[in-house]
């Protein structure tokens, strides 16, 4: 994905020259004109993207003393509590999602390739079903006999995890499946079998280590999605969820929400950087679209 | 009469020199190949003729006009790419007619010309097809028709056959040559395949590391290589270490066996040099009077179809490969069998260890 | 000897076990909830089969909600598509240094995922009543967004501006591979055949990209259609959108007809499914082109 560093950033013109020189191509004049347009577009784009972030930062620093919003937030036990809750839910989601997707993708590839289109379709359904509709259905089914999950805290948490696992399917399945595709599972498995390894050993010692990259990027994507999610959690009355906490904070406080929004953006950045670092050198980048 | 003329053309990419002092004069209707290993600068030179690269120094003249800095879309030079580069969104007919369409020619004229060219490449029935519906060979023929449709002054082909199967490669090679003769279009053909270059061209430009090694007809380049690189790159070659016995008489010792070559040697008595010997120069048996006769034993016999290639050890670590035409009555020698071989005194060429070439002196006038 | 056929016969049965957890989970968390909504949408209050719910979709504020959703989605898909394409062009083909490209791509990964509550808040801090830009314009030029321009972020236009923040980078991320797929030889072949830069774009590059651009815009349309959290946080539900109307239905049966709520959900799913299908078809077409 990345073409890497190709010139020192000596300001636009310097960069342009150093970029143009070694590049084989037609007419330098034409290219220079087009890169001028490109710079204008880029600067406008960067402006649009950074403005809300700068505004949020400025807003969060308005109270006196300037760090008040941040110290208030950090002193609020609900802040740490909601982060911890969302993180825990995220980890559980990842574990459940992986323990369902990994064997399935493996088995589909190795033993029942006929089912592949079916599994693929099911994992893509969450793309078609908006979160609000998924939670609508879940609440209607699991708030009445015989499955009254919504009556208890634990039951609601379980429903939340289940919904998030469904949301994670498209990313997780694609991550694992491309991972499996890149290592030629069949040959690896057959080689391990011919050396006398059993199934458990094959999965734990042969397949998993080779899927490290794919699994980690799938996991961090899931984490990034779960932590910011609002719709499902709010309808399931999971007020400890980070997104719901932020929303409630936004209704009751003035400057603290700005601080928390910025922190949340930073967390998303962190997850993406980790994904980028893990994914370095892999060709398939996994598409990410989070909770809207 | 010069038609395409490259004078002192150089191309540097940063510190690396891709092409160094390239001089070539090609006549109207001539078929010239650039032959060399990958990275020798042949494609870069072709791209400078097409206008995709700007020379660092030097000039390119086309029919007397300086086109060195002319944008590629104003050059009137047709190019065929290794990867076909057909426009995937256009039918075969639209691809072929593209050059005329951007020149705003009337539609009926375009239609007629497209028909003509598709007939030329035997694809008239594929007019409405899309590139992805064609085989590689068919795609490359469409690309050829497209490059010819707007009646360019020069046709450039950049390894046009290297993405194709061996069989199609040979058929298409003949077709390209036939079409080129029929149209009489000046053609520059880039390839790393010596068989292609030798069989197609009027003249071959052998290149290595950005420099021209030799320019000559296929016959000259093959039989009278001027540098060690040309001798070893073009054709199969035996390279034999030889000890100089009598420089004036051309007497040498190869693997302890005396031979004589037709020209005097400049090296001193007792020094060693390398001899180049083509497999087809060597035959089994003592040969006619005056031949060099060498004895050895059979190391390997490989059957290549029309010829049989036999490797003979004449001393420790010194092998001579020779080719024998295949025929039903041929009796193949057995491994380790003692054998006598011979070659004429004109056969071996002395290779300089470091070839020094003055490229200016090699510019062939047509 | 007799044990052998038995073992052979048992293997395929065993191979199904691997996918059973996946399908069980998919049925419980996805199949049952969706099935409930589908069936419910065809039932009246007494549980009799009816199509009344679907014809009732044209009553009350429901058509307004759907029209608003579709309008916001079309506007943000078009604008996001155009702007995202321009930025993608600038970064990939505009002759900018390579590190800018990787920085923009990584940032787009974050921005396309920076949605929901924090995003809505960030824009409130930017162009809301007390936002940075609002304040700046008023203090510097005496210009009031609300009074002089009639603009408020708590409106359809506001929602559109906010949605663009994730639409625009999503377009960039999805269209970038298509731009990468434009082979240098096509440009060179076009130039060689005498085409100007404009003719190359008009006859070659744009037609090749068209399916991808159109397909991605349709994906953006669906992406915006399913969004709920951002709009809800921003307007508190004062602007009628399909997802917000459905959300109200989850909180309580405001229509006094559960079947009608289910029908609304179905309506949304059908539009989403349609747009995803068209996207897939267009994507397949462009892949076929790019492969040849």
């Amino acid at each position: 994905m990345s073409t890497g560093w190709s010139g020192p950033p000596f300001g636009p013109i310097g960069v342009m020259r150093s970029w143009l020189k070694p590049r084989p191509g037609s007419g330098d004049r034409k290219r220079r004109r087009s890169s001028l347009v490109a710079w204008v577009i880029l600067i406008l784009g960067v402006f649009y993207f950074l403005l809300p972030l700068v505004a949020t930062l400025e807003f969060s620093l308005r109270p006196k003393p300037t760090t008040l919003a941040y110290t208030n937030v950090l002193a609020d036990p609900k802040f740490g509590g909601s982060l911890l809750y969302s993180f825990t839910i995220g980890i559980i989601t990842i574990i459940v999602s992986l323990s369902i997707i990994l064997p399935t993708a493996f088995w589909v590839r190795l033993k029942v390739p006929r089912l592949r289109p079916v599994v693929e379709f099911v994992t893509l359904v969450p793309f078609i079903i908006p979160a609000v509709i998924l939670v609508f259905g879940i609440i209607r089914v699991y708030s009445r006999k015989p499955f009254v999950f919504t009556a208890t805290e634990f039951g609601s948490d379980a429903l939340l995890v289940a919904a998030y696992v469904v949301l994670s399917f498209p990313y997780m399945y694609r991550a694992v499946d491309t991972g499996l595709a890149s290592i030629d599972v069949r040959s690896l498995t057959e080689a391990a079998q011919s050396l006398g390894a059993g199934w458990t050993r094959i999965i734990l010692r042969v397949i998993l280590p080779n899927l490290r990259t794919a699994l980690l990027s799938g996991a961090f994507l899931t984490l990034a999605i779960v932590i910011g999610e609002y719709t499902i959690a709010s309808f399931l009355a999971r007020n400890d969820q980070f997104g719901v906490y932020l929303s409630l904070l936004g209704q009751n406080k003035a400057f603290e929400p700005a601080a928390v929004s910025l922190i949340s953006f930073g967390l998303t950045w962190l997850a993406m950087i980790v994904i980028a670092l893990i994914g370095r050198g892999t060709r398939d980048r996994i598409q990410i679209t989070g909770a809207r | 009469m010069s038609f395409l003329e490259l004078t002192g053309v150089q191309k540097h990419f940063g510190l690396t020199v891709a092409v160094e002092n390239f001089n070539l004069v090609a006549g109207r209707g001539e078929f010239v190949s650039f032959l060399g290993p990958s990275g020798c600068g042949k494609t870069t030179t072709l791209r400078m003729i097409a206008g995709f690269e700007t020379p660092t120094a030097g000039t390119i003249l086309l029919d007397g006009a300086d086109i060195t800095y002319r944008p590629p879309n104003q050059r009137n030079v047709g190019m065929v790419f290794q990867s076909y580069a057909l426009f995937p969104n256009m039918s075969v007919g639209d691809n072929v007619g593209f050059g005329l369409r951007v020149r705003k020619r009337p539609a009926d004229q375009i239609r007629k010309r497209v028909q003509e060219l598709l007939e030329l490449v035997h694809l008239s029935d594929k007019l409405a097809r899309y590139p992805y519906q064609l085989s590689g060979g068919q795609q490359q023929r469409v690309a050829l028709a497209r490059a010819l449709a707007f009646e360019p002054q020069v046709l450039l082909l950049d390894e046009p056959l290297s993405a194709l199967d061996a069989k199609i490669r040979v058929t298409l090679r003949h077709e390209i040559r036939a079409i080129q003769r029929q149209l009489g279009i000046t053609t520059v053909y880039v390839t790393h395949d010596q068989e292609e270059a030798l069989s197609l061209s009027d003249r071959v430009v052998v290149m290595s590391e950005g420099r021209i090694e030799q320019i000559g007809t296929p016959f000259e380049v093959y039989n009278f290589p001027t540098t060690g690189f040309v001798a070893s790159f073009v054709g199969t070659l035996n390279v034999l270490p030889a000890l100089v016995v009598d420089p004036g008489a051309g007497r040498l010792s190869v693997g302890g066996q005396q031979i004589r070559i037709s020209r005097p040697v400049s090296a001193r008595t007792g020094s060693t040099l390398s001899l180049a010997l083509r497999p087809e120069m060597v035959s089994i048996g003592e040969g006619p009077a005056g031949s060099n006769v060498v004895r050895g034993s059979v190391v390997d016999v490989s059957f290549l179809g029309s010829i049989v290639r036999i490797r003979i050890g004449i001393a420790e670590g010194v092998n001579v490969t020779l080719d024998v035409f295949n025929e039903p009555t041929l009796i193949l020698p057995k491994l380790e069998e003692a054998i006598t071989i011979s070659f004429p005194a004109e056969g071996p060429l002395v290779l300089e260890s470091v070839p020094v070439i003055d490229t200016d002196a090699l510019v062939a006038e047509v | 000897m007799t044990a052998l056929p038995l073992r052979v016969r048992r293997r395929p049965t065993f191979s199904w076990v691997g996918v059973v957890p996946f399908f069980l989970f998919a049925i419980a968390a996805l199949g049952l909830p969706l099935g409930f909504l589908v069936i419910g949408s065809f039932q009246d209050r007494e549980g009799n089969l009816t199509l009344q719910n679907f014809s009732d979709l044209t009553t009350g504020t429901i058509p307004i909600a759907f029209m608003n959703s579709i309008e916001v989605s079309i506007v943000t898909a078009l604008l996001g598509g155009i702007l995202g394409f321009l930025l993608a062009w600038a970064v990939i083909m505009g002759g900018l240094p390579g590190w800018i490209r990787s920085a923009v791509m990584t940032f787009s990964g974050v921005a396309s995922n920076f949605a929901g509550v924090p995003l809505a808040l960030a824009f409130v801090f930017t162009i809301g009543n007390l936002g940075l830009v609002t304040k700046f314009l008023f203090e510097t030029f005496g210009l009031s967004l609300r009074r002089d321009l009639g603009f408020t972020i708590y409106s359809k236009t506001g929602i559109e501006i906010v949605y663009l923040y994730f639409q625009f980078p999503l377009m960039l991320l999805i269209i970038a591979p298509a731009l990468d797929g434009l082979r240098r030889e096509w440009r060179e072949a076009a130039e060689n055949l005498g085409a100007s830069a404009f003719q190359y774009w008009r006859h070659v590059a744009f037609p090749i990209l068209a399916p991808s651009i159109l397909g991605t815009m349709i994906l953006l349309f669906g992406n915006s259609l399913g969004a709920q959290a951002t709009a809800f946080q921003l307007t508190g539900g004062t602007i009628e959108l399909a997802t917000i109307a459905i959300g109200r239905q989850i909180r309580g049966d405001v229509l006094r007809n559960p079947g009608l709520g289910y029908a609304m959900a179905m309506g949304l799913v059908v539009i989403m499914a349609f747009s995803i299908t068209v996207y897939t078809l267009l994507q397949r077409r462009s892949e076929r082109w790019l492969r040849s």
Side-chain angles (χ1 to χ4, degrees):
Chain A
M1 214 65 189
S2 134
T3 41
W5 187 266
S6 67
F10 296 131
I13 301 302
V15 174
M16 228 155 70
R17 290 252 168 80
S18 66
W19 168 250
L20 283 172
K21 262 274 169 69
R23 197 186 159 97
S26 47
D28 276 9
R29 216 180 326 131
K30 194 164 47 185
R31 222 158 253 286
R32 194 161 306 154
R33 185 158 21 95
S34 74
S35 70
L36 208 73
V37 177
W39 277 108
V40 171
I41 294 174
L42 178 74
I43 288 164
L44 288 177
V46 168
F47 185 73
Y48 172 76
F49 279 127
L50 290 187
L51 193 60
L53 300 178
V54 172
T56 306
L57 178 68
E58 187 265 347
F59 207 87
S60 74
L61 298 177
R62 275 187 199 179
K64 299 279 178 256
T66 45
T67 51
L68 185 68
Y70 291 90
T71 45
N72 277 352
V73 163
L74 292 176
D76 182 2
K78 276 189 186 160
F79 171 73
S82 72
L83 259 187
L84 184 68
Y85 177 83
S86 290
F87 194 76
T88 315
I89 292 288
I91 296 293
I92 297 171
T93 302
I94 289 166
I95 293 170
V96 175
S97 180
L98 270 184
S99 53
I100 292 172
I101 286 294
L102 189 64
T104 306
F106 180 67
W107 244 256
V108 164
R109 226 161 222 291
L110 207 65
K111 294 276 177 184
V112 276
R114 277 177 304 137
L115 284 181
R116 202 185 146 98
V118 184
V119 172
E120 217 159 62
F121 176 76
V122 172
T123 59
L124 287 176
V125 167
F127 270 150
I128 304 173
I129 309 300
V132 68
I133 289 176
L134 179 67
V135 73
F136 193 6
I138 285 178
I139 287 177
R140 285 293 181 270
V141 172
Y142 296 104
S143 62
R144 60 188 69 193
K145 286 173 193 168
F147 315 104
V148 194
F149 277 69
T150 49
T152 62
E153 288 293 308
F154 179 78
S156 295
D157 286 344
L159 287 182
L160 187 67
V161 168
Y164 287 171
V165 169
V166 171
L167 285 192
S168 78
F169 271 177
Y171 313 106
M172 223 36 136
Y173 182 77
R174 279 170 69 187
V176 172
D177 197 55
T178 44
L180 287 175
S182 68
I183 59 168
D184 191 3
V185 210
R186 183 170 292 274
S187 309
L188 266 185
T189 309
E190 283 169 0
Q193 276 178 319
S194 74
L195 295 170
W199 281 112
T200 335
R201 186 183 283 264
I202 289 172
I203 292 199
L204 287 181
R205 306 298 288 276
V206 180
I207 303 297
L208 270 184
N210 281 304
L211 283 180
R212 205 180 57 101
T213 310
L215 295 186
L216 282 176
S217 46
F220 274 94
L221 277 173
T222 306
L223 199 62
I225 293 164
V226 166
I227 287 185
E229 210 283 330
Y230 167 79
T231 305
I232 294 175
S234 94
F235 286 118
L236 284 171
R238 303 293 79 208
N239 290 348
D240 289 338
Q241 167 74 353
F242 190 68
V244 183
Y245 158 76
L246 177 55
S247 172
L248 292 173
L249 197 68
Q251 288 159 23
N252 303 323
K253 295 276 171 76
F255 303 110
E256 285 79 355
V260 179
S261 292
L262 219 56
I263 292 170
S264 133
F265 186 76
L267 286 175
T268 316
W269 252 117
L270 204 68
M272 286 306 294
I273 286 170
V274 173
I275 292 164
L277 287 179
I278 298 167
R280 253 187 330 192
T282 53
R283 230 163 10 101
D284 293 291
R285 231 177 105 131
I286 300 124
Q287 200 52 58
I288 172 167
T289 55
R292 305 270 163 253
Chain B
M1 199 207 94
S2 74
F3 187 69
L4 176 67
E5 197 173 338
L6 285 82
T7 316
V9 170
Q10 289 183 25
K11 181 66 186 178
H12 299 193
F13 292 116
L15 288 175
T16 50
V17 179
V19 178
E20 200 182 317
N21 196 23
F22 191 102
N23 294 289
L24 173 74
V25 179
R28 195 186 287 271
E30 196 179 4
F31 194 120
V32 180
S33 290
F34 295 174
L35 173 65
S38 61
C40 73
K42 55 189 193 300
T43 295
T44 307
T45 311
L46 191 81
R47 291 172 59 81
M48 287 192 281
I49 302 174
F52 301 133
E53 310 284 354
T54 313
T56 314
T59 54
I60 302 171
L61 299 184
L62 179 59
D63 202 12
D66 187 341
I67 59 161
T68 318
Y69 301 105
R70 196 181 282 181
N73 55 4
Q74 289 161 30
R75 288 198 178 203
N76 210 29
V77 160
M79 178 136 167
V80 175
F81 296 80
Q82 179 177 355
S83 57
Y84 327 133
L86 293 180
F87 305 130
N89 57 315
M90 293 181 203
S91 68
V92 166
D94 288 342
N95 262 289
V96 175
F98 185 80
L100 299 170
R101 199 139 53 96
V102 298
R103 283 175 176 75
K104 308 257 188 307
R105 295 286 161 78
D108 54 330
Q109 195 187 324
I110 297 177
R111 211 172 316 119
K112 217 174 116 237
R113 182 76 181 143
V114 167
Q115 273 302 342
E116 244 170 68
L117 276 147
L118 286 180
E119 267 161 42
L120 191 70
V121 296
H122 314 297
L123 284 174
S124 305
D125 55 324
K126 300 282 191 285
L127 182 83
R129 294 290 178 88
Y130 280 82
Y132 67 87
Q133 297 169 314
L134 302 181
S135 71
Q138 290 171 329
Q139 289 191 50
Q140 197 56 297
R141 282 188 222 192
V142 175
L144 182 65
R146 182 179 70 175
L148 291 168
F150 61 100
E151 293 172 337
Q153 291 170 281
V154 176
L155 176 64
L156 306 175
L157 300 114
D158 184 9
E159 307 237 6
L161 306 179
S162 52
L164 301 173
D165 298 339
K167 271 238 173 79
I168 297 163
R169 212 148 55 201
V170 174
T171 350
L172 202 49
R173 191 166 89 196
H174 293 310
E175 260 180 66
I176 288 174
R177 184 55 162 152
I179 289 169
Q180 189 268 339
R181 286 220 171 95
Q182 192 182 332
L183 302 178
I185 185 169
T186 312
T187 302
V188 180
Y189 188 104
V190 161
T191 182
H192 62 267
D193 182 336
Q194 42 126 343
E195 193 184 309
E196 266 175 29
L198 296 177
S199 65
L200 279 169
S201 325
D202 294 319
R203 275 193 304 156
V204 180
V205 178
V206 186
M207 294 181 71
S208 160
E209 292 174 2
R211 279 181 326 231
I212 295 182
E213 293 277 335
Q214 187 175 359
I215 300 181
T217 63
F219 187 84
E220 288 165 352
V221 167
Y222 189 88
N223 290 318
F224 309 109
T226 51
T227 72
F229 176 82
V230 177
S232 56
F233 189 76
V234 181
T236 313
L237 196 72
N238 290 299
V239 178
L240 307 170
L243 184 76
V244 180
V245 178
D246 180 351
R251 287 192 183 284
L252 309 170
S253 161
V254 175
Q257 305 190 45
Q258 290 262 334
I259 64 159
R260 192 179 59 80
I261 62 173
S262 59
R263 274 165 291 181
V265 182
S266 55
R268 281 181 298 107
T269 304
S271 62
T272 55
L273 48 76
S274 294
L275 282 185
L277 186 60
R278 297 271 184 219
E280 62 270 24
M281 302 297 284
V282 186
S283 47
I284 297 175
E286 303 223 332
S291 296
N292 288 302
V293 178
V294 173
R295 278 165 238 286
S297 62
V298 178
V299 175
D300 185 36
V301 177
S302 36
F303 189 78
L304 302 178
S306 62
I307 58 166
V308 180
R309 182 156 288 179
I310 302 166
R311 196 141 50 94
I312 291 150
I314 56 172
E316 186 65 36
V318 182
N319 292 326
V320 174
T321 299
L322 67 92
D323 289 346
V324 181
F325 278 111
N326 177 26
E327 49 173 309
T329 56
L330 184 73
I331 299 159
L332 291 173
K334 292 184 182 61
L335 289 184
E336 289 172 43
E337 191 180 291
I339 195 165
T340 304
I341 54 171
S342 60
F343 52 88
E346 295 77 29
L349 291 168
V350 177
L351 294 179
E352 322 292 335
S353 50
V354 186
V356 185
I357 314 141
D358 181 8
T359 42
D360 288 326
L362 284 170
V363 176
E365 292 295 335
V366 179
Chain C
M1 267 294 146
T2 47
L4 203 62
L6 262 177
R7 266 171 64 195
V8 167
R9 204 172 299 144
R10 224 162 54 204
R11 276 255 170 100
T13 333
F14 180 61
S15 78
W16 285 89
V17 173
V19 290
V20 165
F22 172 79
F23 282 109
L24 279 182
F25 182 85
I27 288 168
L30 203 55
L32 280 181
L34 290 181
F36 192 94
L37 297 182
V38 174
I39 293 167
S41 68
F42 289 102
Q43 283 178 337
D44 63 14
R45 255 159 292 189
E46 281 74 42
N48 303 315
L49 202 64
T50 178
L51 286 172
Q52 188 61 37
N53 296 325
F54 289 96
S55 57
D56 283 352
L57 284 179
T58 55
T59 60
T61 56
I62 302 171
I64 297 172
F66 270 86
M67 285 316 289
N68 280 345
S69 269
I70 289 171
E71 186 191 322
V72 166
S73 300
I74 287 177
V75 169
T76 62
L78 272 178
L79 278 179
I82 293 167
L83 297 174
F85 177 78
L86 283 179
L87 190 58
W89 170 84
V91 186
I92 293 169
M93 306 179 75
L96 301 183
W99 63 268
I100 287 194
R101 179 205 164 125
S102 31
V104 169
M105 295 301 281
T106 313
F107 184 85
S108 296
V110 180
S112 67
N113 197 39
F114 184 58
V117 184
L119 179 67
L121 288 172
F123 269 91
V124 170
F125 303 139
T126 314
I127 47 174
N129 290 339
L130 295 169
L132 181 67
V133 172
T134 318
K135 216 174 65 168
F136 171 80
L137 289 177
F138 190 73
E139 285 169 4
T140 319
F141 306 107
L143 187 76
S144 161
L145 284 181
R146 186 190 282 269
R147 197 160 29 82
D148 301 328
L149 299 178
F151 170 83
T152 160
I153 193 176
Y154 316 102
S155 66
K156 248 188 288 180
T157 318
I159 292 176
E160 284 160 7
I161 291 175
V162 178
Y163 276 16
L164 275 180
Y165 201 85
F166 58 73
Q167 295 282 63
F168 180 178
L170 186 61
M171 176 74 179
L172 176 80
L173 286 177
I174 301 181
I175 208 71
L179 277 175
D180 277 331
L182 278 182
R183 303 216 313 254
R184 191 178 70 168
E185 288 86 356
W186 289 333
R187 190 194 187 102
E188 290 180 350
E191 283 186 337
N192 178 260
L193 295 166
S196 63
F198 174 76
Q199 282 170 322
Y200 160 70
W201 275 97
R202 153 104 176 62
H203 295 294
V204 182
F206 193 73
I208 291 174
L209 290 175
S212 300
I213 294 176
L214 193 64
T216 312
M217 282 190 182
I218 289 168
L219 195 72
L220 296 189
F221 173 84
N223 191 38
S224 154
L225 202 65
Q228 193 261 352
T230 317
F232 189 74
Q233 178 66 33
L234 197 65
T235 66
T238 53
I239 301 290
E240 276 288 54
L241 291 178
T243 45
I244 288 185
I246 291 168
R248 221 179 291 122
Q249 200 61 23
I250 303 176
R251 298 241 186 256
D253 180 11
V254 289
L255 301 170
R256 296 174 208 293
N257 181 1
L260 187 49
Y262 305 147
M264 283 166 61
M266 281 308 105
L268 200 57
V269 169
V270 167
I271 303 175
M272 291 288 285
F274 176 75
S275 60
I276 299 282
T277 310
V278 176
Y279 165 75
T280 315
L281 293 176
L282 287 169
Q283 201 66 12
R284 207 171 286 164
R285 180 186 184 116
S286 95
E287 266 167 32
R288 191 179 61 185
W289 275 358
L290 296 179
R291 244 199 337 260
S292 72

